[in-house]
Amino acid sequence: MNKYWNQKTNEITPYVAGEQPKDVKRLIKLNTNENPYGPSPKAAAVLKEINPDVLRLYPDTNSTLVREAVASVYSKYGITAENVFVGNGSDEVLAVCWQTFFENCRNTTKSVLSPEISYSFYPVYSEMYDVNLESIPLDSNYMIKIEDYIGRENCGIAIANPNAPTSVSMTSLDNIKRILEANKDVVVIIDEAYIAFAKNPISAVELVKEYKNLVVVQTMSKAYGLAGMRVGYAVADETLIEGMRRIRDSFNSYPVDRLAEQVAAEAILDQDYYNKTRNAVIATREKFVSSLSKMGFSVLPSSANFVFAKPEFIEASVLYQKLREKGIIVRYFNKQNISDYLRITIGTDADMNEFIKAIEEIKDVQNG
């Protein structure tokens, strides 16, 4: 206990981010789901062309360039800039959602419903903002059980689709519709950080105009290759977006800087590059999954830019260490129900070939 910290600071269990080694050139980094291809060349050009003098000025509070770019991508669903909220990464957007929509859970018996195995920031936000969280178990195949979110008393719902760290997705928007229909009096968050990497991605943004209780959260960190820029956004009914702005403006009116706004907008507008790189990741993932399966791994069906794989020939924790010794970093979660698995980011074909080569070497040593 630190006497200068308040009770919350002393008691909270912070989110643990994936390792960011300083000397990444000597490593194959497959632990934090970064895009191996980087941002659009059009986005990169902004860095060369920007006038540094503009950085003396505060940025646009509402990140209008990004909001309009997002709206243009989803215009066929009737989305306008008024349906878009932009924040400093989707983590901040999610934190604003918790404050805007879920603090009414305080001092009640109601809870926010979320999968037991999911993005580990959800319980941290709930603890931070004194929100009750009820963790709903997945089924034996690590799938979300839709029925568990229907007819259960709650004060909100947060679901990652595709889920993390499992990589498994709900197969149809009809499942999301069922949850929305059954919970019209509370906000339902669908966190789509990895939606781009589904074989046939269908975003819940399509449902925003139909359901006023839906908030869809997306990030620029994965499919757009801008993890270092920290830009994320939510798409929702105008009234929900206005509520989020009220909370944002109560603690940080300028969350996205001028440089990040311009780069992010250009990246969103370059849909040709977006589709080119996400398709490359999907193709590499499918080949990699096939290789893993032949080498004694059980792999969950992935709709993300990573796979969740269980080695049958060695303990996952041991394999994690052996890979690290070979300069390959993956993510290992020493948690109940998933400690037998490794989360492996999809890199380039060359990266994944090196991974397979390392596994072959480890198995050769193991077999004597």
Side-chain angles (χ1 to χ4, degrees):
M1 297 285 287
N2 186 299
K3 69 178 182 179
Y4 296 112
W5 293 355
N6 62 25
Q7 183 177 352
K8 177 71 67 181
T9 309
N10 272 299
E11 293 179 353
I12 198 167
T13 302
Y15 172 76
V16 179
E19 180 186 1
Q20 293 291 337
K22 290 183 171 56
D23 191 7
V24 294
K25 292 182 179 180
R26 297 178 58 190
L27 300 168
I28 296 177
K29 190 173 180 295
L30 305 176
N31 67 323
T32 48
N33 304 336
E34 292 141 327
N35 190 319
Y37 299 108
S40 157
K42 294 180 181 179
V46 173
L47 300 174
K48 298 178 181 178
E49 298 170 2
I50 193 166
N51 178 2
D53 188 56
V54 302
L55 299 181
R56 67 184 177 82
L57 302 172
Y58 282 108
D60 173 12
T61 301
N62 290 317
S63 304
T64 303
L65 290 177
V66 178
R67 291 168 59 229
E68 290 178 344
V70 172
S72 72
V73 171
Y74 291 117
S75 60
K76 62 183 177 182
Y77 304 130
I79 300 301
T80 70
E82 295 305 308
N83 295 114
V84 184
F85 174 91
V86 182
N88 189 231
S90 62
D91 288 338
E92 182 184 62
V93 174
L94 288 165
V96 170
C97 286
W98 249 254
Q99 295 173 78
T100 307
F101 308 121
F102 295 160
E103 283 196 11
N104 59 350
C105 295
R106 285 179 172 178
N107 304 316
T108 73
T109 58
K110 296 181 181 180
S111 301
V112 171
L113 307 182
S114 190
E116 182 178 47
I117 301 170
S118 193
Y119 187 29
S120 50
F121 235 137
Y122 300 162
V124 174
Y125 294 140
S126 298
E127 186 178 1
M128 182 69 184
Y129 301 118
D130 296 318
V131 172
N132 299 322
L133 182 71
E134 183 177 357
S135 298
I136 310 298
L138 301 175
D139 69 15
S140 59
N141 295 316
Y142 294 91
M143 293 285 292
I144 289 171
K145 295 184 286 185
I146 305 302
E147 292 73 16
D148 287 345
Y149 298 85
I150 296 173
R152 187 187 295 262
E153 187 179 50
N154 68 82
C155 55
I157 294 173
I159 295 173
N161 186 51
N163 200 6
T166 65
S167 77
V168 178
S169 69
M170 288 185 277
T171 55
S172 168
L173 283 184
D174 288 340
N175 290 327
I176 296 175
K177 283 185 178 182
R178 289 177 61 196
I179 293 172
L180 290 164
E181 289 282 355
N183 296 278
K184 288 186 175 181
D185 293 331
V186 301
V187 166
V188 176
I189 296 172
I190 303 297
D191 182 357
E192 293 187 339
Y194 301 101
I195 193 68
F197 302 104
K199 287 183 179 179
N200 298 297
I202 302 176
S203 171
V205 168
E206 183 177 330
L207 306 177
V208 162
K209 287 295 182 177
E210 184 177 356
Y211 295 96
K212 294 186 179 298
N213 60 327
L214 170 64
V215 178
V216 182
V217 178
Q218 296 187 355
T219 178
M220 302 293 296
S221 297
K222 314 302 180 185
Y224 288 102
L226 288 172
M229 272 288 182
R230 312 309 303 129
V231 180
Y233 54 87
V235 184
D237 183 78
E238 292 94 332
T239 59
L240 299 186
I241 296 299
E242 178 58 29
M244 295 176 70
R245 288 179 188 159
R246 289 171 65 88
I247 291 296
R248 176 202 65 194
D249 290 345
S250 298
F251 72 94
N252 182 14
S253 295
Y254 302 102
V256 179
D257 65 66
R258 281 179 173 268
L259 183 57
E261 181 187 11
Q262 292 184 46
V263 171
E266 288 298 325
I268 293 168
L269 292 172
D270 191 355
Q271 287 291 296
D272 288 342
Y273 183 82
Y274 165 85
N275 284 310
K276 176 183 175 181
T277 55
R278 76 174 189 83
N279 286 331
V281 170
I282 291 170
T284 299
R285 181 188 70 205
E286 297 307 296
K287 289 186 290 185
F288 182 60
V289 168
S290 177
S291 297
L292 285 182
S293 299
K294 294 174 183 177
M295 299 186 73
F297 286 81
S298 296
V299 187
L300 296 186
S302 176
S303 294
N305 67 334
F306 61 89
V307 298
F308 209 47
K310 178 182 178 181
E312 303 292 352
F313 56 92
I314 192 173
E315 290 185 9
S317 59
V318 175
L319 182 56
Y320 166 79
Q321 291 295 340
K322 289 184 177 296
L323 286 168
R324 189 179 183 86
E325 290 167 7
K326 291 181 174 293
I328 300 173
I329 305 178
V330 297
R331 193 79 190 267
Y332 173 68
F333 298 90
N334 189 16
K335 296 181 179 180
Q336 186 176 2
N337 297 324
I338 58 173
S339 60
D340 291 338
Y341 286 80
L342 296 177
R343 193 191 72 186
I344 308 162
T345 300
I346 301 301
T348 62
D349 283 335
D351 292 333
M352 308 326 289
N353 289 339
E354 286 297 314
F355 183 98
I356 294 300
K357 179 182 176 182
I359 295 298
E360 291 172 342
E361 292 172 353
I362 291 167
K363 291 186 75 173
D364 285 344
V365 171
Q366 188 182 36
N367 296 331

